[in-house]
Amino acid sequence: MTRQIKLRINGLEQIVQVEPWMTLIHVLRENLDLFAAKESCGVGECGSCTVLIDDKPINSCLMLAVDADGKSVLTLEGISEKGKLHPLQESFVKEGAIQCGMCTGGFILSAKSLLGKKVNPTEEEVRLHLDGHICRCTGYNNIIKAVLRTIDTEQESKSHDQC
Amino acid sequence: MTNAKMRRRYVGTYQPYREAVTKAVGQERFTIDMKLPGMLIAQFVRSPLPHARIVSIDTRKAESLPGVECVIYHKHVPKRRWGWMIEDQVTFPWDKVLYVGEPVAAVAAVDEATAVEAANLVKIEYEELPAVFDPLEALEPDAPIIHPDLTNYDLAFDWRAVRYGNVCSHTTIAAHGDVEKGFDEADYVFEDTFTTMSHHQHYLEPQAALAQCDFNGNVKAWVSTQGTYFTQYRIGQALNYPQSKLRLMAPAVGGGFGGKMESATAIWAVALALHANCKPVKLVFDREEDVQAGFPRHPSIVTIKTGVKKDQTMCARQSKMILNTGAYSDNGVGVVAYAAVWTRGPYKIPNCRSEGLCVYTNETIRGAFRGYGCPQANWAGESQIDKICDELNLDPLEFRRRNATETGYPLSTGQIPKSIGLVKTLNAATDDAPRFYSENHLKTRHYRPLEPKMRGRGIACKEYASGFRATSAAVRLNEDGTFHLLSGATDLGQACNTTLAMIVAEEIGCDLEAISVVTNADTFGSTFDYASVGSRITHTLGFATKEAASQVKKKLLEVAAEMMPDKGEKDALEMAGDRIRVKGKPELFVSLKDTAWYAMNFIGEGPIIGTGSYMPKVHSHDPEKVQSYMYLSFPALVYSTHVAEVEVDTETGLVKVLSLTCAHDCGKAINRLTVEGQITGGSTMGLGYALTEKIVLENGRVINPSFSQHGVLRPIDVPMIKPIIVEEFEPTGPYGAKGVGEPALVATAPAIGNAIYDAIGVRIHHLPITPDKILKALKKRS
């Protein structure tokens, strides 16, 4: 018995027919062709299914699609605008924070929610904020460096604006 | 021959890679993302028992469920055995099942829910047989025999297999000296046993394959694999299908680490596709399936005996390794032989002997996993060295330097490596320190009172191999002066295509941006490569790629010379990015673009294509001295030293890794960014292997399949690892390169174990070093 839900995805209103048992990740990937969020474990342990709902990182494999009705969802596909990389995406590329790429979307979205929330987070605080994510390729070194570098760059440009 | 200080434009730089951008924006497609119109979803019917005779299979109810396209089992596929070295595996068993999770039948249906329901409707009657899970029990004379027909199974080639009972391969290496004589000469003899458990690659993208067959029997398959050609061969073998009709492609692969070398999905996806009325069939594992029925690491039992003389040199080393290979041999034959080579360690030991037994049990198939037997061997060898130093009151860095192997000294197989950078890694990882521990520290460390938190440092080093097997490459010039590189390498995240493009750009002398790599390792559109395994792409495929590029360069210069007849011969010309100019007279040039156009239209012998074809020579062994598995031949040897600092919580047993320094001799680092990435990623996997990761089975069933249950480390568990690149020129590699993908993992566990010993004076012999083991050992100590 399908239900109709309304989602605002990456700024666009979408109306989708879903079964009540479908997870948000299932609907994103199967109904809406938004592939960036990946399902690696299906039990909310790895963070590769992460999307932002009201700027909060959510494991979309643990959320029923019907519970996302009326919500604003941001996926990895939605953070670069008009062919320009988001500063996080740029840092990830430059710092070698991406190897196979399966965990990338989750890390970038979670890191995005950290930007602007905390001034000068320590390396440990960044690691703690991202602890819901698993990467099997990089050893986290360059991911942490990329996030710290973005935070530094953001703050530098903010202080320049103030000058 | 080599000018280490030569300025190069690309080789040796930090080069972010192109696929990183498409991955950063979420545009990169993995096999799990692929969709085709009319696609069916597949589901396996798996054995619930570890060892049982198949009495009957009834698929009628499953077949008649609406939405089911086909249900297949042994009668739908050729009745034959196949495999890598021993042809012991089956597509679907017709006689008996050998492990929990073994595929017995498969279903293709319109959606996942229907496929699962249909799978549950397949009725299989089993007659349970006694099962064996412990390899030592499997070696007993009264053990159930898992493969009664073992000695009649075909072999891939005559590798002089020694096989009997439940032993699929018994390797012996006694090619260096006389180990009995060596022990007679020793002043001290140490004998120890070390063990390791199985752990899983836990790549983020699960095993997956999508296959479609057309009316003419032409198959297209997209597979999350480490080798499209490797998989193509295996499918052809298993299904008696001509390779010319098997087109294999690898989209972006979400991690492999060895676990996607053999096929857990592709053979069956194709088998289903052949019965699915030309509809595409997609097969994706869930996490549980992957751990139960993938190819995790071999658990090991190693006994190792070392003789040391008063002058602090090792004079003899003997080892016996028992590997639990699970229900089928898969890569076990290779892993056990490799492990037997690496137990000696990177040392000048004149008398060596090692044995390895690869034993069948009724457990998950164990396969290739980053390090391929070396992590197990290294855990034993380097832990024992630390023990030797401790008992003889020697410094472990001094001891290693004194015994270190160097270029010209043979491996335990008798082969002499051409490039050994071990000592450089020892020095780089320790900042050229004369000693690892001060004399005072060695005297007092075990007399310190036990505090809630105790710190320690440990060191370990290793020797391993890189590169082997056949490969080829082609470089094509486009009419506008850009290039195509045909590469059969599957990109698992190691950015091999960027490394190969850098080699082409460097060799030709053109801009890196001008090179486009034909990706997907399409067996129809690229050139043969064995597989992205064995730390061999940069070294072996890189060598063939450089050759292909150099041919293109030669032909380009010939054409350019004809275009500038007054300005000299081709030897007076040089490539310079977007142009070809006269050496010393940069104002005299022709553009690459014009040269390309003329080459395709008027000048020269035809479209410019360069090819490279390479297969490193196989070192031949004395069959009396090296038995069972003759492929123990390594073009390049890689060395590394890992130094770890830990803090042990003596109340909880938890170990915090404070720092990890990893110095790797990887020959010339082509792309320093990816080399460092492999070192930090691989050593993190090594930390997991050391401290937390394990697969726990009960009667052959995995009880801890999830990431967290298995013990995969997270950002907060890992320090900022310090990778150090040491470059010891390798003559058989492009620009002197060796590999680093697997070596990165190896020396981590003993470095950690040795650091823990330094901290709290207890030596754990059994990986992983979980808190319960530390607490138990501390209790015993007090």
Side-chain angles (χ1 to χ4, degrees), chain A residues 29-30 33 38 40 45 89 98-99 127 131 136-137 140-141, chain B residues 17 23-24 33 35 201 204 287 693 708 713-715 721:
Chain A
R29 290 173 59 82
E30 304 303 323
D33 286 344
K38 311 291 182 197
S40 292
E45 285 189 356
Q89 290 168 322
I98 304 174
Q99 289 190 25
R127 285 183 185 272
D131 210 45
R136 208 49 173 147
C137 297
Y140 308 109
N141 252 40
Chain B
Y17 70 105
K23 287 171 182 176
D33 301 325
K35 269 190 206 173
Q201 296 85 350
L204 278 235
R287 195 57 41 189
E693 294 184 34
S708 295
L713 297 179
R714 292 172 178 276
I721 294 170

PDB file of all heavy atoms in Angstrom, chain A residues 29-30 33 38 40 45 89 98-99 127 131 136-137 140-141, chain B residues 17 23-24 33 35 201 204 287 693 708 713-715 721:
ATOM      1  N   ARG A  29      18.023   6.307  -3.873  1.00  0.00           N
ATOM      2  CA  ARG A  29      18.781   5.594  -4.894  1.00  0.00           C
ATOM      3  C   ARG A  29      17.880   4.962  -5.948  1.00  0.00           C
ATOM      4  O   ARG A  29      18.193   4.979  -7.132  1.00  0.00           O
ATOM      5  CB  ARG A  29      19.671   4.528  -4.243  1.00  0.00           C
ATOM      6  CG  ARG A  29      20.835   5.110  -3.440  1.00  0.00           C
ATOM      7  CD  ARG A  29      21.592   4.043  -2.682  1.00  0.00           C
ATOM      8  NE  ARG A  29      22.142   3.022  -3.556  1.00  0.00           N
ATOM      9  CZ  ARG A  29      23.283   3.136  -4.234  1.00  0.00           C
ATOM     10  NH1 ARG A  29      24.003   4.238  -4.130  1.00  0.00           N
ATOM     11  NH2 ARG A  29      23.709   2.154  -4.995  1.00  0.00           N
ATOM     12  N   GLU A  30      16.756   4.363  -5.504  1.00  0.00           N
ATOM     13  CA  GLU A  30      15.942   3.605  -6.459  1.00  0.00           C
ATOM     14  C   GLU A  30      14.891   4.477  -7.140  1.00  0.00           C
ATOM     15  O   GLU A  30      14.641   4.336  -8.327  1.00  0.00           O
ATOM     16  CB  GLU A  30      15.241   2.426  -5.760  1.00  0.00           C
ATOM     17  CG  GLU A  30      16.192   1.465  -5.025  1.00  0.00           C
ATOM     18  CD  GLU A  30      17.270   0.870  -5.926  1.00  0.00           C
ATOM     19  OE1 GLU A  30      16.976   0.588  -7.105  1.00  0.00           O
ATOM     20  OE2 GLU A  30      18.407   0.708  -5.463  1.00  0.00           O
ATOM     21  N   ASP A  33      17.057   8.309  -8.336  1.00  0.00           N
ATOM     22  CA  ASP A  33      18.338   8.248  -9.057  1.00  0.00           C
ATOM     23  C   ASP A  33      19.418   9.140  -8.456  1.00  0.00           C
ATOM     24  O   ASP A  33      20.259   9.680  -9.184  1.00  0.00           O
ATOM     25  CB  ASP A  33      18.145   8.595 -10.541  1.00  0.00           C
ATOM     26  CG  ASP A  33      17.482   7.445 -11.289  1.00  0.00           C
ATOM     27  OD1 ASP A  33      17.462   6.318 -10.746  1.00  0.00           O
ATOM     28  OD2 ASP A  33      16.978   7.668 -12.398  1.00  0.00           O
ATOM     29  N   LYS A  38      25.515   5.985  -0.350  1.00  0.00           N
ATOM     30  CA  LYS A  38      25.718   4.559  -0.597  1.00  0.00           C
ATOM     31  C   LYS A  38      25.205   3.744   0.582  1.00  0.00           C
ATOM     32  O   LYS A  38      25.227   4.200   1.708  1.00  0.00           O
ATOM     33  CB  LYS A  38      27.219   4.261  -0.759  1.00  0.00           C
ATOM     34  CG  LYS A  38      27.960   5.158  -1.709  1.00  0.00           C
ATOM     35  CD  LYS A  38      27.574   4.941  -3.151  1.00  0.00           C
ATOM     36  CE  LYS A  38      28.404   5.840  -4.061  1.00  0.00           C
ATOM     37  NZ  LYS A  38      27.800   5.967  -5.386  1.00  0.00           N
ATOM     38  N   SER A  40      26.301   0.678   2.542  1.00  0.00           N
ATOM     39  CA  SER A  40      27.388  -0.289   2.729  1.00  0.00           C
ATOM     40  C   SER A  40      27.104  -1.295   3.818  1.00  0.00           C
ATOM     41  O   SER A  40      27.653  -2.383   3.807  1.00  0.00           O
ATOM     42  CB  SER A  40      28.682   0.439   3.116  1.00  0.00           C
ATOM     43  OG  SER A  40      29.138   1.201   2.059  1.00  0.00           O
ATOM     44  N   GLU A  45      26.052   1.902  10.708  1.00  0.00           N
ATOM     45  CA  GLU A  45      27.377   1.875  11.352  1.00  0.00           C
ATOM     46  C   GLU A  45      28.453   2.613  10.587  1.00  0.00           C
ATOM     47  O   GLU A  45      29.453   3.017  11.161  1.00  0.00           O
ATOM     48  CB  GLU A  45      27.826   0.417  11.517  1.00  0.00           C
ATOM     49  CG  GLU A  45      27.115  -0.316  12.615  1.00  0.00           C
ATOM     50  CD  GLU A  45      27.745  -1.672  12.879  1.00  0.00           C
ATOM     51  OE1 GLU A  45      28.680  -2.043  12.148  1.00  0.00           O
ATOM     52  OE2 GLU A  45      27.295  -2.356  13.810  1.00  0.00           O
ATOM     53  N   GLN A  89      34.834  19.876  -0.895  1.00  0.00           N
ATOM     54  CA  GLN A  89      35.120  18.972  -2.011  1.00  0.00           C
ATOM     55  C   GLN A  89      36.511  19.271  -2.576  1.00  0.00           C
ATOM     56  O   GLN A  89      37.292  18.366  -2.876  1.00  0.00           O
ATOM     57  CB  GLN A  89      34.054  19.108  -3.103  1.00  0.00           C
ATOM     58  CG  GLN A  89      32.700  18.548  -2.678  1.00  0.00           C
ATOM     59  CD  GLN A  89      31.573  18.928  -3.617  1.00  0.00           C
ATOM     60  OE1 GLN A  89      31.528  20.043  -4.137  1.00  0.00           O
ATOM     61  NE2 GLN A  89      30.635  18.012  -3.822  1.00  0.00           N
ATOM     62  N   ILE A  98      40.433  11.226  -0.815  1.00  0.00           N
ATOM     63  CA  ILE A  98      39.510  10.333  -1.510  1.00  0.00           C
ATOM     64  C   ILE A  98      40.300   9.221  -2.181  1.00  0.00           C
ATOM     65  O   ILE A  98      41.186   9.485  -2.981  1.00  0.00           O
ATOM     66  CB  ILE A  98      38.709  11.082  -2.592  1.00  0.00           C
ATOM     67  CG1 ILE A  98      37.970  12.271  -1.976  1.00  0.00           C
ATOM     68  CG2 ILE A  98      37.739  10.147  -3.297  1.00  0.00           C
ATOM     69  CD1 ILE A  98      37.278  13.160  -2.996  1.00  0.00           C
ATOM     70  N   GLN A  99      39.976   7.971  -1.861  1.00  0.00           N
ATOM     71  CA  GLN A  99      40.571   6.841  -2.586  1.00  0.00           C
ATOM     72  C   GLN A  99      39.465   6.131  -3.349  1.00  0.00           C
ATOM     73  O   GLN A  99      39.188   6.492  -4.482  1.00  0.00           O
ATOM     74  CB  GLN A  99      41.367   5.928  -1.659  1.00  0.00           C
ATOM     75  CG  GLN A  99      42.656   6.588  -1.178  1.00  0.00           C
ATOM     76  CD  GLN A  99      43.608   5.654  -0.453  1.00  0.00           C
ATOM     77  OE1 GLN A  99      43.592   4.441  -0.650  1.00  0.00           O
ATOM     78  NE2 GLN A  99      44.478   6.226   0.381  1.00  0.00           N
ATOM     79  N   ARG A 127      37.859  14.638  14.708  1.00  0.00           N
ATOM     80  CA  ARG A 127      37.763  13.168  14.658  1.00  0.00           C
ATOM     81  C   ARG A 127      36.503  12.689  15.369  1.00  0.00           C
ATOM     82  O   ARG A 127      35.806  11.797  14.904  1.00  0.00           O
ATOM     83  CB  ARG A 127      38.998  12.524  15.295  1.00  0.00           C
ATOM     84  CG  ARG A 127      40.250  12.599  14.433  1.00  0.00           C
ATOM     85  CD  ARG A 127      41.433  11.868  15.086  1.00  0.00           C
ATOM     86  NE  ARG A 127      42.655  12.044  14.329  1.00  0.00           N
ATOM     87  CZ  ARG A 127      43.050  11.254  13.318  1.00  0.00           C
ATOM     88  NH1 ARG A 127      42.320  10.217  12.954  1.00  0.00           N
ATOM     89  NH2 ARG A 127      44.182  11.499  12.678  1.00  0.00           N
ATOM     90  N   ASP A 131      33.197  10.568  13.882  1.00  0.00           N
ATOM     91  CA  ASP A 131      33.384   9.193  14.341  1.00  0.00           C
ATOM     92  C   ASP A 131      32.279   8.231  13.876  1.00  0.00           C
ATOM     93  O   ASP A 131      32.404   7.025  13.998  1.00  0.00           O
ATOM     94  CB  ASP A 131      33.522   9.159  15.870  1.00  0.00           C
ATOM     95  CG  ASP A 131      34.403   7.994  16.325  1.00  0.00           C
ATOM     96  OD1 ASP A 131      35.475   7.801  15.706  1.00  0.00           O
ATOM     97  OD2 ASP A 131      34.013   7.279  17.256  1.00  0.00           O
ATOM     98  N   ARG A 136      37.843   2.679   4.812  1.00  0.00           N
ATOM     99  CA  ARG A 136      38.726   1.514   4.839  1.00  0.00           C
ATOM    100  C   ARG A 136      40.001   1.762   4.041  1.00  0.00           C
ATOM    101  O   ARG A 136      40.930   0.970   4.090  1.00  0.00           O
ATOM    102  CB  ARG A 136      37.944   0.325   4.258  1.00  0.00           C
ATOM    103  CG  ARG A 136      38.324  -1.053   4.734  1.00  0.00           C
ATOM    104  CD  ARG A 136      38.444  -1.253   6.198  1.00  0.00           C
ATOM    105  NE  ARG A 136      38.640  -2.667   6.469  1.00  0.00           N
ATOM    106  CZ  ARG A 136      39.367  -3.163   7.474  1.00  0.00           C
ATOM    107  NH1 ARG A 136      39.951  -2.340   8.314  1.00  0.00           N
ATOM    108  NH2 ARG A 136      39.486  -4.473   7.651  1.00  0.00           N
ATOM    109  N   CYS A 137      40.018   2.857   3.275  1.00  0.00           N
ATOM    110  CA  CYS A 137      41.132   3.091   2.359  1.00  0.00           C
ATOM    111  C   CYS A 137      42.204   4.038   2.880  1.00  0.00           C
ATOM    112  O   CYS A 137      43.381   3.790   2.700  1.00  0.00           O
ATOM    113  CB  CYS A 137      40.630   3.685   1.043  1.00  0.00           C
ATOM    114  SG  CYS A 137      39.526   2.629   0.103  1.00  0.00           S
ATOM    115  N   TYR A 140      42.185   7.712   7.394  1.00  0.00           N
ATOM    116  CA  TYR A 140      41.653   8.970   7.944  1.00  0.00           C
ATOM    117  C   TYR A 140      42.613  10.151   7.928  1.00  0.00           C
ATOM    118  O   TYR A 140      42.165  11.292   8.009  1.00  0.00           O
ATOM    119  CB  TYR A 140      41.128   8.783   9.392  1.00  0.00           C
ATOM    120  CG  TYR A 140      40.146   7.647   9.535  1.00  0.00           C
ATOM    121  CD1 TYR A 140      40.481   6.467  10.203  1.00  0.00           C
ATOM    122  CD2 TYR A 140      38.886   7.725   8.947  1.00  0.00           C
ATOM    123  CE1 TYR A 140      39.593   5.409  10.296  1.00  0.00           C
ATOM    124  CE2 TYR A 140      37.983   6.661   9.032  1.00  0.00           C
ATOM    125  CZ  TYR A 140      38.352   5.513   9.707  1.00  0.00           C
ATOM    126  OH  TYR A 140      37.474   4.470   9.795  1.00  0.00           O
ATOM    127  N   ASN A 141      43.913   9.907   7.831  1.00  0.00           N
ATOM    128  CA  ASN A 141      44.906  10.994   7.811  1.00  0.00           C
ATOM    129  C   ASN A 141      44.465  12.185   6.971  1.00  0.00           C
ATOM    130  O   ASN A 141      44.308  13.308   7.448  1.00  0.00           O
ATOM    131  CB  ASN A 141      46.216  10.469   7.189  1.00  0.00           C
ATOM    132  CG  ASN A 141      47.322  10.298   8.193  1.00  0.00           C
ATOM    133  OD1 ASN A 141      47.103   9.864   9.299  1.00  0.00           O
ATOM    134  ND2 ASN A 141      48.531  10.675   7.817  1.00  0.00           N
TER     135      ASN A 141
ATOM    136  N   TYR B  17      44.213  13.199  -8.099  1.00  0.00           N
ATOM    137  CA  TYR B  17      43.812  12.471  -9.286  1.00  0.00           C
ATOM    138  C   TYR B  17      42.385  12.810  -9.727  1.00  0.00           C
ATOM    139  O   TYR B  17      41.564  13.250  -8.958  1.00  0.00           O
ATOM    140  CB  TYR B  17      44.033  10.970  -9.091  1.00  0.00           C
ATOM    141  CG  TYR B  17      43.129  10.267  -8.116  1.00  0.00           C
ATOM    142  CD1 TYR B  17      42.097   9.457  -8.579  1.00  0.00           C
ATOM    143  CD2 TYR B  17      43.337  10.355  -6.749  1.00  0.00           C
ATOM    144  CE1 TYR B  17      41.282   8.777  -7.708  1.00  0.00           C
ATOM    145  CE2 TYR B  17      42.525   9.684  -5.875  1.00  0.00           C
ATOM    146  CZ  TYR B  17      41.508   8.886  -6.358  1.00  0.00           C
ATOM    147  OH  TYR B  17      40.696   8.212  -5.482  1.00  0.00           O
ATOM    148  N   LYS B  23      34.288  11.672  -7.813  1.00  0.00           N
ATOM    149  CA  LYS B  23      33.845  11.031  -6.582  1.00  0.00           C
ATOM    150  C   LYS B  23      33.400  12.084  -5.565  1.00  0.00           C
ATOM    151  O   LYS B  23      32.438  11.886  -4.838  1.00  0.00           O
ATOM    152  CB  LYS B  23      34.970  10.166  -5.986  1.00  0.00           C
ATOM    153  CG  LYS B  23      35.194   8.890  -6.790  1.00  0.00           C
ATOM    154  CD  LYS B  23      36.440   8.112  -6.358  1.00  0.00           C
ATOM    155  CE  LYS B  23      36.609   6.887  -7.252  1.00  0.00           C
ATOM    156  NZ  LYS B  23      37.839   6.126  -6.981  1.00  0.00           N
ATOM    157  N   ALA B  24      34.099  13.229  -5.543  1.00  0.00           N
ATOM    158  CA  ALA B  24      33.757  14.278  -4.578  1.00  0.00           C
ATOM    159  C   ALA B  24      32.385  14.884  -4.841  1.00  0.00           C
ATOM    160  O   ALA B  24      31.734  15.377  -3.924  1.00  0.00           O
ATOM    161  CB  ALA B  24      34.819  15.374  -4.612  1.00  0.00           C
ATOM    162  N   ASP B  33      25.659   0.950  -8.125  1.00  0.00           N
ATOM    163  CA  ASP B  33      24.819   2.057  -8.584  1.00  0.00           C
ATOM    164  C   ASP B  33      24.183   1.779  -9.937  1.00  0.00           C
ATOM    165  O   ASP B  33      23.340   2.541 -10.401  1.00  0.00           O
ATOM    166  CB  ASP B  33      25.657   3.349  -8.714  1.00  0.00           C
ATOM    167  CG  ASP B  33      26.301   3.764  -7.406  1.00  0.00           C
ATOM    168  OD1 ASP B  33      25.686   3.563  -6.353  1.00  0.00           O
ATOM    169  OD2 ASP B  33      27.435   4.301  -7.468  1.00  0.00           O
ATOM    170  N   LYS B  35      22.125   0.542 -13.087  1.00  0.00           N
ATOM    171  CA  LYS B  35      20.750   0.112 -13.361  1.00  0.00           C
ATOM    172  C   LYS B  35      20.598  -0.070 -14.850  1.00  0.00           C
ATOM    173  O   LYS B  35      21.064   0.763 -15.620  1.00  0.00           O
ATOM    174  CB  LYS B  35      19.773   1.222 -12.958  1.00  0.00           C
ATOM    175  CG  LYS B  35      19.249   1.168 -11.554  1.00  0.00           C
ATOM    176  CD  LYS B  35      18.127   2.178 -11.452  1.00  0.00           C
ATOM    177  CE  LYS B  35      17.939   2.674 -10.047  1.00  0.00           C
ATOM    178  NZ  LYS B  35      16.966   3.762  -9.984  1.00  0.00           N
ATOM    179  N   GLN B 201      38.254  -8.000   4.624  1.00  0.00           N
ATOM    180  CA  GLN B 201      38.657  -6.779   3.942  1.00  0.00           C
ATOM    181  C   GLN B 201      37.691  -5.625   4.247  1.00  0.00           C
ATOM    182  O   GLN B 201      38.101  -4.462   4.258  1.00  0.00           O
ATOM    183  CB  GLN B 201      38.712  -6.993   2.414  1.00  0.00           C
ATOM    184  CG  GLN B 201      39.752  -7.995   1.945  1.00  0.00           C
ATOM    185  CD  GLN B 201      39.267  -9.445   1.992  1.00  0.00           C
ATOM    186  OE1 GLN B 201      38.197  -9.718   2.551  1.00  0.00           O
ATOM    187  NE2 GLN B 201      40.042 -10.352   1.421  1.00  0.00           N
ATOM    188  N   LEU B 204      34.076  -0.963   1.526  1.00  0.00           N
ATOM    189  CA  LEU B 204      32.764  -0.338   1.721  1.00  0.00           C
ATOM    190  C   LEU B 204      31.749  -0.758   0.655  1.00  0.00           C
ATOM    191  O   LEU B 204      30.567  -0.924   0.944  1.00  0.00           O
ATOM    192  CB  LEU B 204      32.874   1.195   1.747  1.00  0.00           C
ATOM    193  CG  LEU B 204      33.299   1.892   3.040  1.00  0.00           C
ATOM    194  CD1 LEU B 204      32.272   2.932   3.466  1.00  0.00           C
ATOM    195  CD2 LEU B 204      33.553   0.954   4.185  1.00  0.00           C
ATOM    196  N   ARG B 287      26.128  -7.122   3.938  1.00  0.00           N
ATOM    197  CA  ARG B 287      27.358  -7.200   4.721  1.00  0.00           C
ATOM    198  C   ARG B 287      27.577  -8.592   5.325  1.00  0.00           C
ATOM    199  O   ARG B 287      28.688  -9.131   5.312  1.00  0.00           O
ATOM    200  CB  ARG B 287      27.282  -6.110   5.805  1.00  0.00           C
ATOM    201  CG  ARG B 287      28.526  -5.718   6.556  1.00  0.00           C
ATOM    202  CD  ARG B 287      29.711  -5.242   5.811  1.00  0.00           C
ATOM    203  NE  ARG B 287      29.623  -4.354   4.694  1.00  0.00           N
ATOM    204  CZ  ARG B 287      30.657  -4.050   3.916  1.00  0.00           C
ATOM    205  NH1 ARG B 287      31.836  -4.564   4.150  1.00  0.00           N
ATOM    206  NH2 ARG B 287      30.498  -3.231   2.906  1.00  0.00           N
ATOM    207  N   GLU B 693      40.485  -6.448  15.034  1.00  0.00           N
ATOM    208  CA  GLU B 693      39.705  -7.147  14.008  1.00  0.00           C
ATOM    209  C   GLU B 693      39.778  -8.654  14.095  1.00  0.00           C
ATOM    210  O   GLU B 693      40.841  -9.242  14.253  1.00  0.00           O
ATOM    211  CB  GLU B 693      40.174  -6.693  12.622  1.00  0.00           C
ATOM    212  CG  GLU B 693      39.871  -5.231  12.340  1.00  0.00           C
ATOM    213  CD  GLU B 693      40.256  -4.817  10.931  1.00  0.00           C
ATOM    214  OE1 GLU B 693      40.137  -5.653  10.013  1.00  0.00           O
ATOM    215  OE2 GLU B 693      40.679  -3.664  10.751  1.00  0.00           O
ATOM    216  N   SER B 708      31.196  -2.872  13.116  1.00  0.00           N
ATOM    217  CA  SER B 708      31.530  -2.622  14.524  1.00  0.00           C
ATOM    218  C   SER B 708      31.862  -3.903  15.263  1.00  0.00           C
ATOM    219  O   SER B 708      32.796  -3.958  16.043  1.00  0.00           O
ATOM    220  CB  SER B 708      30.379  -1.905  15.221  1.00  0.00           C
ATOM    221  OG  SER B 708      30.201  -0.627  14.673  1.00  0.00           O
ATOM    222  N   LEU B 713      38.380   0.031  12.634  1.00  0.00           N
ATOM    223  CA  LEU B 713      38.719   1.249  13.385  1.00  0.00           C
ATOM    224  C   LEU B 713      38.080   2.494  12.787  1.00  0.00           C
ATOM    225  O   LEU B 713      37.841   2.570  11.581  1.00  0.00           O
ATOM    226  CB  LEU B 713      40.241   1.412  13.438  1.00  0.00           C
ATOM    227  CG  LEU B 713      40.980   0.295  14.182  1.00  0.00           C
ATOM    228  CD1 LEU B 713      42.486   0.554  14.144  1.00  0.00           C
ATOM    229  CD2 LEU B 713      40.518   0.175  15.622  1.00  0.00           C
ATOM    230  N   ARG B 714      37.824   3.460  13.656  1.00  0.00           N
ATOM    231  CA  ARG B 714      37.173   4.710  13.271  1.00  0.00           C
ATOM    232  C   ARG B 714      38.131   5.884  13.461  1.00  0.00           C
ATOM    233  O   ARG B 714      39.202   5.731  14.026  1.00  0.00           O
ATOM    234  CB  ARG B 714      35.935   4.909  14.145  1.00  0.00           C
ATOM    235  CG  ARG B 714      34.858   3.899  13.864  1.00  0.00           C
ATOM    236  CD  ARG B 714      33.711   3.969  14.853  1.00  0.00           C
ATOM    237  NE  ARG B 714      32.695   2.997  14.469  1.00  0.00           N
ATOM    238  CZ  ARG B 714      31.754   3.235  13.553  1.00  0.00           C
ATOM    239  NH1 ARG B 714      31.675   4.410  12.974  1.00  0.00           N
ATOM    240  NH2 ARG B 714      30.884   2.300  13.230  1.00  0.00           N
ATOM    241  N   PRO B 715      37.719   7.111  13.017  1.00  0.00           N
ATOM    242  CA  PRO B 715      38.630   8.262  13.094  1.00  0.00           C
ATOM    243  C   PRO B 715      39.241   8.492  14.471  1.00  0.00           C
ATOM    244  O   PRO B 715      40.400   8.874  14.588  1.00  0.00           O
ATOM    245  CB  PRO B 715      37.734   9.445  12.691  1.00  0.00           C
ATOM    246  CG  PRO B 715      36.717   8.851  11.800  1.00  0.00           C
ATOM    247  CD  PRO B 715      36.465   7.470  12.301  1.00  0.00           C
ATOM    248  N   ILE B 721      48.991   9.297  11.177  1.00  0.00           N
ATOM    249  CA  ILE B 721      50.104   8.396  10.857  1.00  0.00           C
ATOM    250  C   ILE B 721      51.152   9.140  10.038  1.00  0.00           C
ATOM    251  O   ILE B 721      50.818   9.996   9.217  1.00  0.00           O
ATOM    252  CB  ILE B 721      49.568   7.172  10.100  1.00  0.00           C
ATOM    253  CG1 ILE B 721      48.663   6.378  11.049  1.00  0.00           C
ATOM    254  CG2 ILE B 721      50.696   6.304   9.578  1.00  0.00           C
ATOM    255  CD1 ILE B 721      47.888   5.293  10.398  1.00  0.00           C
TER     256      ILE B 721
END
